[in-house]
Amino acid sequence: MLLSCCMLYLLWCGTVLAAAADEKEKKPDPVDVTITAPASLKKLLEKHMTLPAKPFRDEIDQAAYARKIRQESIELLATEGYFTPEIEFDEKKGNGKAKAKAYELRITPGPRTRVAAVTIEFQGALAADEPAYRARAEQLRAEWPLTPGKVFRSARWEDAKSALLSSIANRDFATARIVESQAKVDPDTAQATLSITIDSGPAFRYGELQITGLERYKPDVVQNSVPFRPGDPYRREQLLAFQAALQNSQLFNAAAVTVKPDPMQHEAVPVIVTLTEAQSKHIGAGLGYSSNNGARGEVNYRDYNFLGRAWNLSSLLRLEQKRQTFSTRVDTLPDANHFQYSSGVRVERTDIKNLQTFNQRVDFSRIRTTANSILQVGVNWQREQREPSGAPKTTNETLALDLWYRYHDIDDPVNVRRGFVSEVRLGGGSSYVLSDQDFIRSYLRHQHWLPIGRRDTLYFRAEAGYTLASSRQGIPQEYLFRAGGIQSIRGYDFLSLGVREGDAIVGGRVLATGTAEYVHWLTNDWGAAVFTDVGDAADSLKQFDLAIGYGIGARWRSPAGPFALDLARRHDTGTLRLHFSIAVAF
């Protein structure tokens, strides 16, 4: 008997526990709340409103939630300029015989508040009775976005204040601050009266640099990058440009440029430069493949403090299927006028389209680099042995003067969508000065990106070159022209367009190519392209024969740069060829 009772008790306990577990796992259905409001506000409320987690226990619970949702709605509507809304929350009418109750939140927003008047006052040096400051104060007032008649929104009010303060603090007045700001809203008239007072503080001018963090480098490496002089008026964009130049110099892992905002030192505020030096020596290695030159392996070495003078020594050994290169170069740091000097040696062997070359080159250049341009003037001597298949082997020597200039104005150096890059090169040699042939080589190239719609891009490229000489003989390949391949005419093999000499393709004296390409971005990172390339390289204008290639491609904004995979068709033969490249070639 006792055993039976115990069994019944255990069975009853198990039933109760199972029922409790089922009840715990079963979540209550969410409460059905319908929002009745203008469409624009309905989306805002649905996004931010807190729905009831479970059905109301009683009328008191429902009333508490109604008070909560009313307060949330008032706050949300106020951010959009509605300060006198009518809000009701109760059981939905016509719910009828439904088991679960449904509710309705009805909102009548009322009139939207607009700006009635704006008062902007200045204190400090900006309030001085001087023509320059008066003109600037009037300009700041004219640029204020929340003018009378505009809809008043809390976010716009905060953004406008921040923008006004930044505009003042970024130029001259490093310690500018908001003394008082007030937005008085009259619910009866749905109007807002705005007032803001900013104390500009004194006008700041640059003092001397205070540099910390230098160990192996002299202060000159920092001072040569300074875009201002002591006594110049303070400009925040100059500090940011100075900081970016130091960070991009490869000498430092980190760089921070600030001023000490001390009003007592405003006439010569110290510029504080805090640096963390990077390791000066680097060794790298890599493997790769390109549709132009095939498989690639390389080893490179850099010393950013060569001879203890902060010069950049770079050496490279690159082995490709069609080209093998060894080079070493020494570059000085830019001086205060943005000039630097560069000298290098290169030995290169190529085997492309049945033309074998062995080139030795020594060069020296003076380079001036600015934010948007590079100007390079140099001299180089080179000796080239060329062996076309089925034609005589020759050796060319030249001492050439070179001028190269590039200007760019683009929105993003990696993923370009708007802007252009233009370059021009002019060079030549004389038989009277260590050259086998008299020649003058000219070359022009322009690339242009146009944004289409929200994300798409239309790209144009054009290049033209001409070498003025009595013959191509005696001129190194660098001063002649071949075409075909990536960044030239797709559908044709790399450097397959030129002058036939024996069984080989060698450089000619005339070049003209162009590209039109449209990229449709399917997502932020993936896109599809259609393109057409045209042009040719020849020994004279009479021999110029237009080659055409066109096709489709895929684009990917990879972490290493833009990746392009193209399938191109050669128009005259219908041959299909696959090309791929990574990074924009300027």
Side-chain angles (χ1 to χ4, degrees), residues 212-213 251-255 274-278:
T212 59
L251 302 179
F252 308 105
N253 283 329
T274 306
L275 303 167
T276 302
E277 293 182 351

Side-chain angles (χ1 to χ4, degrees), residues 60-103:
I60 296 176
D61 194 19
Q62 177 182 332
Y65 176 78
R67 288 193 297 272
K68 176 184 177 182
I69 199 63
R70 176 182 173 81
Q71 186 60 36
E72 285 185 7
S73 300
I74 289 174
E75 293 173 358
L76 285 170
L77 293 169
T79 64
E80 295 298 312
Y82 298 98
F83 292 92
T84 57
E86 295 181 5
I87 303 171
E88 296 179 77
F89 180 82
D90 51 30
E91 188 174 348
K92 192 173 182 180
K93 296 180 180 179
N95 197 33
K97 299 179 181 180
K99 293 182 180 181
K101 292 185 177 181
Y103 300 87

Side-chain angles (χ1 to χ4, degrees), residues 156-344:
R156 291 180 180 176
W157 167 234
E158 296 300 328
D159 289 345
K161 289 190 294 182
S162 297
L164 177 60
L165 181 61
S166 294
S167 182
I168 297 171
N170 289 346
R171 178 182 162 196
D172 295 317
F173 307 108
T175 58
R177 62 187 180 91
I178 296 177
V179 177
E180 183 182 7
S181 67
Q182 195 172 38
K184 294 182 178 179
V185 177
D186 185 346
D188 296 332
T189 60
Q191 290 185 331
T193 302
L194 311 180
S195 64
I196 180 172
T197 302
I198 292 183
D199 183 357
S200 69
F204 281 71
R205 292 184 176 274
Y206 295 117
E208 299 296 329
L209 297 183
Q210 293 183 357
I211 305 172
T212 59
L214 288 181
E215 295 179 5
R216 66 173 69 95
Y217 302 118
K218 296 180 180 180
D220 291 352
V221 303
V222 176
Q223 293 168 346
N224 288 340
S225 299
V226 180
F228 49 81
R229 298 179 180 179
D232 286 351
Y234 167 82
R235 299 288 185 270
R236 178 170 170 75
E237 66 270 16
Q238 290 179 332
L239 294 185
L240 294 176
F242 182 23
Q243 179 175 286
L246 294 173
Q247 290 173 336
N248 295 332
S249 69
Q250 306 295 332
L251 302 179
F252 308 105
N253 283 329
V257 180
T258 59
V259 296
K260 186 177 181 180
D262 183 357
M264 300 298 293
Q265 296 180 289
H266 70 94
E267 293 182 352
V269 62
V271 179
I272 302 169
V273 182
T274 306
L275 303 167
T276 302
E277 293 182 351
Q279 287 189 353
S280 60
K281 296 178 174 63
H282 299 267
I283 297 178
L287 298 173
Y289 184 88
S290 75
S291 54
N292 280 352
N293 290 310
R296 178 181 73 250
E298 66 177 55
V299 178
N300 60 76
Y301 171 78
R302 285 185 178 272
D303 182 355
Y304 293 106
N305 194 28
F306 183 58
L307 300 180
R309 302 177 65 90
W311 291 354
N312 178 11
L313 168 68
S314 59
S315 296
L316 171 68
L317 174 62
R318 175 177 291 169
L319 303 178
E320 300 172 282
Q321 287 180 278
K322 298 180 182 180
R323 179 173 59 186
Q324 300 83 45
T325 305
F326 173 76
S327 65
T328 186
R329 177 167 296 281
V330 175
D331 299 308
T332 67
L333 284 178
D335 60 21
N337 295 316
H338 306 291
F339 284 104
Q340 68 181 119
Y341 296 90
S342 177
S343 182

